[in-house]
Amino acid sequence: MNFRRSDFDVTNRINTTDPVCVKLEVIRLYRALYARNQAPMLNQAFDDVVRLYRGMFPGYTGCDTEYHDLQHILDVTLAMSRLLDGYERSRAGPALGERLFQLGVICALFHDMGYIRRMNDTRHANGAEYTTTHVSRGGKFLREYLPTIGMEDYADVAGAVLHFTGYEQPVDTIRVPDPIFRLVGSLLGSADIIAQMSDRCYLEKCKERLYPEFVAGGITRKQTEAGEVVVFESAEDLIRKTPSFFRNAARRLDEDLGGAHQYVAKHFNGANPYMDALKQNIRFIETHPQDEDLVLRRHPPNTTPQ
């Protein structure tokens, strides 16, 4: 099928705005790997993240960041489960086992919860204001949350795993108690990159949603010794700089994250639809004349609470 729906994943099979569809696919992969009939921790985590993003989780307001929304979370989680599956089936190293598979999925589900404000937050008008600290906030949340679903043994390391998705600290400085957690973190960081950049509406989302988040987060400009430097002049400028961002992301995927994204091909029997869709998005920008306005016609779904 040539036409891909905006609310579906790269295979055009899984509705990434529907938590049930994604949950069923993730649990199907888990059961196939480990011959389990039940997955109570994964079920609970999916249900809880939906409540969190929809404003029904105690103490939190719900998601108000349109780029880092529930669809993004579900898309990354689906990609993470496929990477975990590809690794386990490749026999490239020590087995992860069902507990680490579950940890990886749960970290994917909550990797951006640091954007969600608490009910008593009177200092911030939008979750995007937490852009530079959201990973650390997510780690603190998981330290408290994981013991409630029977995964207290991973409560301390989960925060380190989440840092593989962010830029608060260089990947090679992230400390983990065992190399196997570095693998889980590399898979998670890879899932975060390939899922969002392969989104059918990635460019539209960058222009309409990510740039306003960057403005709110204060990262469109930065202070240097020479004075203020403009990072992104406008939403259009952000889009034009996407190919440059991709080159940095590709280096991060291959070097910092150890090429873990390649396990997608093990899952798909040699194909990598994420990288194919990602490169198609980049080609659109690269082949569009610099002196012409960008015309983006796709309409991203909206999963933030209305």
Side-chain angles (χ1 to χ4, degrees), residues 40 85 207 240 252 267 285:
D85 178 75
K207 184 176 182 179
R240 290 293 187 181
R252 183 178 176 87
H267 170 78
I285 301 298

Side-chain angles (χ1 to χ4, degrees), residues 18 30 45 63 69 125 146 184 208 210 224 228 242 251 262 266 282 297 299 305:
D18 187 336
Y30 170 77
C63 177
D69 64 348
L146 288 175
V184 176
E208 301 165 9
L210 186 59
T224 67
E228 185 179 75
T242 299
R251 183 203 57 77
Q262 297 174 36
K266 297 293 184 180
I282 301 303
R297 297 186 174 88
H299 302 284

Side-chain angles (χ1 to χ4, degrees), residues 283-299:
R283 280 196 299 271
F284 177 85
I285 301 298
E286 291 178 331
T287 59
H288 204 93
Q290 290 284 335
D291 58 350
E292 292 183 8
D293 291 337
L294 282 168
V295 179
L296 304 175
R297 297 186 174 88
R298 293 170 179 172
H299 302 284

Side-chain angles (χ1 to χ4, degrees), residues 92-233:
L96 290 169
E98 57 186 278
R99 291 277 291 174
L100 284 178
F101 183 102
Q102 292 179 81
L103 175 66
V105 169
I106 292 168
C107 284
L109 284 169
F110 292 97
H111 81 278
D112 274 343
M113 71 73 49
Y115 285 104
I116 298 180
R117 295 178 297 125
R118 287 186 174 273
M119 293 291 293
N120 60 359
D121 184 353
T122 59
R123 294 180 54 196
H124 305 90
N126 184 271
E129 295 176 40
Y130 285 112
T131 295
T132 59
T133 59
H134 76 278
V135 178
S136 294
R137 292 186 78 231
K140 292 177 182 177
F141 175 87
L142 284 179
R143 192 175 300 120
E144 298 177 0
Y145 174 74
L146 288 175
T148 69
I149 59 170
M151 299 193 75
E152 58 276 1
D153 46 333
Y154 294 136
D156 291 331
V157 74
V161 171
L162 256 58
H163 272 293
F164 284 81
T165 69
Y167 295 84
E168 291 180 32
Q169 64 181 103
V171 170
D172 60 1
T173 68
I174 301 173
R175 299 182 64 181
V176 291
D178 188 276
I180 198 70
F181 295 110
R182 182 163 294 276
L183 169 64
V184 176
S186 295
L187 293 170
L188 179 59
S190 300
D192 190 27
I193 292 172
I194 64 175
Q196 63 183 301
M197 294 193 74
S198 63
D199 189 312
R200 183 175 185 270
C201 297
Y202 174 64
L203 300 177
E204 285 82 0
K205 287 182 176 182
C206 283
K207 184 176 182 179
E208 301 165 9
R209 302 179 181 183
L210 186 59
Y211 180 74
E213 287 188 24
F214 280 178
V215 172
I219 62 173
T220 58
R221 287 166 169 74
K222 65 179 180 181
Q223 294 294 328
T224 67
E225 293 182 357
E228 185 179 75
V229 174
V230 177
V231 180
F232 302 112
E233 294 180 352

